[in-house]
Amino acid sequence: MEDLVSLCKRRGILYQSNEIYGGLQGLYDYGPLGVELKNNLKKSWWAAMVYDRDDIEGLDSSILTHHEVLKHSGHVDTFSDPMIDCKSCKSRWRAEEIENNKCPSCGSSNLTEPRPFNLMFKTNIGPIDDGSNFAYLRPETAQQIFTNFKNIVDSTSRFLPFGIAQIGKAFRNEITPRNFIFRTREFEQMELEFFVEPSSADKWYKEWVKTRMEWWIKQGISKDNLKIFNVPDKDLSHYSKSTTDIMYQFPHGLEELEGIANRTDFDLGSHTKNQKDLNITANVDKNNTSNAKLAIQDENNNWIVPFVIEPSAGVDRGILAILNEAYKIEKLEDGKERLVLSLKSHLSPVKAAIIPLKKNNDEIVNNAIKLKKELQKTGIGRVVVENTGNIGKSYRKHDEIGTPLCITVDFETLEKNMVTIRNRDTMKQDQIKITEVVTFFEKYFQT
Ligand code: ATP
């Protein structure tokens, strides 16, 4: 973990947030390369969910959430972690971190009883702070998907089964943010709410666990480091009938990367008025104040409240897992070592670096800039000109940040129109005609 943290800071992937004022715990900023990596991961999820299928629509909803939404969803009453304080060393813990009734920091058994601590951030809306105009920063993106259910059904004429996908920030006032970006107070989720006929929920639940495992493997996570964990009934969230966690072997231990839950008709049912007319199975809040009927008609025009299967993945935990998988120290033939980030090429922050052999030769540099512009136009991703005049140093840097291709422009480019392309993983160098680089580049990123 220390090596990863140090690489991330050195190369501009992640920084501690608000660092110049001493930092704020549990918050991180994505730097110039981090934002590219994060955008690429989100793009890959969106493509797999929305573009490659025909049964999912997208949404980007507000972060500030009406307190009634989170009241009826159960979050106001139950979205809490039990918290324990050590009276000896004053440290604070989530109850699940305490083993054998001993403080993990000082070993004392002089601990408080567990007290529930609500994880939601509350804020004020508008200029008057009289305690009535409050809202919450959403603790999950899901609730606004449910509140928009009718809007989306009406505007897209969807029938079951279909899903709504959303990527966005979520906020939790975690008691113990820890382990770099694994547990933070502000993070991003990639969430799908997939609405199905209640009788087909178990089938879809299994299907989504499989689909999501396969997707993580395509992002470069090795199968051996992923484990499926069926959450025991006693540990299920208030809305869930069954939950499967996709666990990953993080540097600090085996922990949740994504959760797939069968949320039944709990959420749509909770936000629905006149529940008695509908066949809602979940134990929902009967004092609903919404004016909505979050239901859909089947082919016989009967109203049904669908069940929801929710695959909910953390963007930041995904980034941590992907960096951990990609980070490699390789022994070279000459006895030296190199650090290489062997990211899947669709995730690499920089797709290609164009390196002019001589930094003071205008003709070489101009050729490099021209080539960069042509490659940039393909829309595949960021291409940079690395005008340091030091090829060895540029290769080292681009190995460390996972750039798949380095393209050197030199005197042969001027004389014979040839460039040298170096492959990050094999370190093999091939000469190709400059006029063929765009096609080579496009083909490389297609596969
Ligand atoms: P945990 O048990 O680790 O606190 P959770 O079960 O509360 O996680 P969910 O409510 O299922 O998490 O949220 C879905 C996903 O959102 C998680 O699988 C995780 O990837 C991500 N996530 C949740 N909390 C955090 C956090 N504090 N920091 C970063 N990512 C998070």
Side-chain angles (χ1 to χ4, degrees), residues 96 304 364 433:
E96 66 181 42
I304 47 173
I364 290 183
K433 282 204 187 116

Side-chain angles (χ1 to χ4, degrees), residues 117-369:
F117 172 74
N118 195 295
L119 300 178
M120 287 197 295
F121 283 100
K122 212 174 185 179
T123 190
N124 221 47
I125 294 216
I128 299 161
D129 185 5
D130 65 358
S132 65
N133 298 327
F134 67 98
Y136 295 101
L137 302 189
R138 63 186 181 201
E140 58 178 21
T141 77
Q143 288 309 316
Q144 303 287 41
I145 296 183
F146 301 128
T147 59
N148 276 294
F149 176 78
K150 190 170 159 21
N151 287 335
I152 292 177
V153 169
D154 288 351
S155 54
T156 63
S157 309
R158 284 283 181 183
F159 293 103
L160 298 180
F162 82 97
I164 304 175
Q166 173 161 238
I167 300 177
K169 292 254 173 160
F171 300 81
R172 296 183 188 177
N173 198 0
E174 295 281 357
I175 299 165
T176 48
R178 260 188 212 136
N179 299 316
F180 197 26
I181 51 170
F182 176 81
R183 186 178 300 286
T184 55
R185 291 185 166 132
E186 175 176 338
F187 53 97
E188 267 190 280
Q189 292 182 313
M190 304 181 282
E191 293 199 301
L192 169 70
E193 305 304 324
F194 199 76
F195 302 99
V196 301
E197 299 260 0
S199 61
S200 65
D202 287 342
K203 182 195 90 173
W204 278 108
Y205 174 63
K206 288 194 192 109
E207 178 80 28
W208 276 112
V209 172
K210 192 167 151 274
T211 305
R212 296 301 305 145
M213 278 290 276
E214 286 165 2
W215 184 83
W216 282 114
I217 291 165
K218 283 193 197 141
Q219 310 316 306
I221 308 278
S222 62
K223 215 170 166 187
D224 293 348
N225 284 336
L226 290 169
K227 299 265 167 335
I228 293 278
F229 174 70
N230 295 314
V231 178
D233 285 356
K234 67 174 180 36
D235 296 332
L236 290 175
S237 306
H238 60 279
Y239 51 74
S240 175
K241 182 181 163 209
S242 33
T243 298
T244 297
D245 286 343
I246 297 182
M247 311 284 279
Y248 175 72
Q249 190 62 52
F250 285 97
H252 63 279
L254 186 66
E255 296 238 36
E256 177 182 336
L257 172 64
E258 170 163 355
I260 294 117
N262 177 353
R263 293 180 81 129
T264 70
D265 49 6
F266 177 84
D267 300 275
L268 294 182
S270 295
H271 294 304
T272 285
K273 201 181 163 189
N274 292 330
Q275 295 147 345
K276 52 188 175 315
D277 303 338
L278 297 160
N279 211 1
I280 295 169
T281 61
N283 183 17
V284 296
D285 183 351
K286 299 286 187 300
N287 303 313
N288 193 289
T289 53
S290 87
N291 53 17
K293 181 178 184 177
L294 302 182
I296 192 168
Q297 281 174 301
D298 65 13
E299 62 273 21
N300 304 318
N301 292 338
N302 293 322
W303 286 98
I304 47 173
V305 179
F307 270 32
V308 179
I309 309 302
E310 174 196 70
S312 172
V315 176
D316 313 82
R317 287 188 191 179
I319 298 279
L320 183 56
I322 284 162
L323 287 173
N324 183 49
E325 288 284 329
Y327 186 102
K328 295 196 176 92
I329 305 280
E330 282 181 1
K331 269 243 171 314
L332 301 176
E333 277 170 12
D334 60 7
K336 289 191 184 140
E337 284 183 340
R338 75 160 178 160
L339 166 55
V340 58
L341 209 53
S342 57
L343 293 169
K344 289 276 177 192
S345 59
H346 70 281
L347 296 176
S348 291
V350 175
K351 304 302 179 196
I354 322 270
I355 310 171
L357 183 70
K358 285 253 178 290
K359 78 176 192 187
N360 297 326
N361 183 310
D362 284 351
E363 220 179 336
I364 290 183
V365 174
N366 288 340
N367 264 289
I369 294 172

